[in-house]
């Protein structure tokens, strides 16, 4: 959330507690892989993760020098994940230790990319101007999806 706020629940959302993320950046998205591991992303190319249920959050080096907002983060398991943002699309195949640029069928340099979702062994991503992209290999290669408007 705003000013790096992270909230945690252990009872299915009945009550929430604040956790210290260690950052002041606005956070846009979070994904929990288990009760212990979670990832969040936000302004200024920020990606953070916890592997102890939120007691400690660490900044993650995603390997880019620009300060672009990262709007979406999604993992299908503890190894394969994807992040996207303003002209940014990266994937990891080693649990977030390193992040790489994928092959993509369209120029995304100035495109705002949002909303990542794993479904049926595919990753789906939405972008501005009605763009939709799909990856069939955990984010390594992306194709723009055509649809009738």
């Amino acid at each position: 959330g705003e000013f790096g706020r992270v909230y945690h629940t252990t009872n299915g959302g009945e009550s929430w507690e604040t956790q210290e993320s260690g950052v002041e950046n606005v956070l846009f998205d979070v994904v929990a892989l288990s009760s212990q591991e979670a990832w969040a992303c936000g302004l200024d190319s920020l990606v953070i993760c916890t592997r102890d249920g939120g007691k400690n959050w660490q900044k993650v080096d995603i390997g880019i020098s620009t300060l672009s907002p990262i709007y979406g983060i999604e993992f299908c398991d503890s190894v394969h994940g994807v992040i996207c943002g303003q002209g940014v699309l990266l994937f990891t195949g080693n649990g977030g230790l390193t992040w790489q640029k994928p092959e993509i069928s369209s120029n995304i340099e100035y495109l705002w990319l949002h909303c990542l979702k794993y479904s049926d062994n595919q990753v789906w991503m939405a972008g501005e101007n009605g763009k939709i992209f799909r990856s069939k290999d955990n984010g390594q290669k992306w194709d723009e999806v055509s649809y009738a408007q």
Side-chain angles (χ1 to χ4, degrees):
E2 195 170 18
F3 304 113
R5 288 190 184 109
V6 175
Y7 299 91
H8 177 80
T9 183
T10 57
N11 57 14
E14 292 291 321
S15 62
W16 294 84
E17 64 182 45
T18 304
Q19 292 181 327
E20 292 296 323
S21 68
V23 300
E24 294 290 322
N25 304 59
V26 172
L27 300 173
F28 294 118
D29 198 11
V30 64
V31 60
L33 306 182
S34 68
S35 63
Q36 296 299 300
E37 185 175 4
W39 293 75
C41 61
L43 282 179
D44 299 333
S45 302
L46 178 71
V47 174
I48 58 175
C49 73
T50 181
R51 291 189 171 92
D52 61 8
K55 292 179 185 80
N56 298 287
W57 289 84
Q58 294 83 35
K59 287 184 183 180
V60 176
D61 181 1
I62 60 172
I64 63 173
S65 59
T66 59
L67 295 179
S68 299
I70 306 295
Y71 294 120
I73 187 164
E74 182 73 300
F75 279 77
C76 70
D77 55 37
S78 62
V79 176
H80 301 96
V82 180
I83 58 176
C84 68
Q86 186 175 349
V88 175
L89 178 59
L90 301 170
F91 73 93
T92 183
N94 58 15
L97 294 175
T98 59
W99 294 85
Q100 301 173 34
K101 290 183 179 181
E103 291 179 41
I104 187 159
S105 62
S106 301
N107 181 1
I108 63 163
E109 185 176 1
Y110 301 105
L111 197 62
W112 290 34
L113 304 168
H114 303 267
C115 303
L116 290 162
K117 182 65 180 165
Y118 272 94
S119 178
D120 298 325
N121 297 317
Q122 300 178 85
V123 193
W124 293 86
M125 177 176 60
E128 69 177 318
N129 301 324
K131 302 264 187 199
I132 298 174
F133 300 91
R134 175 181 58 202
S135 173
K136 297 179 181 180
D137 57 7
N138 290 311
Q140 296 178 49
K141 184 173 188 260
W142 292 82
D143 291 306
E144 189 170 345
V145 177
S146 300
Y147 63 95
Q149 293 188 13

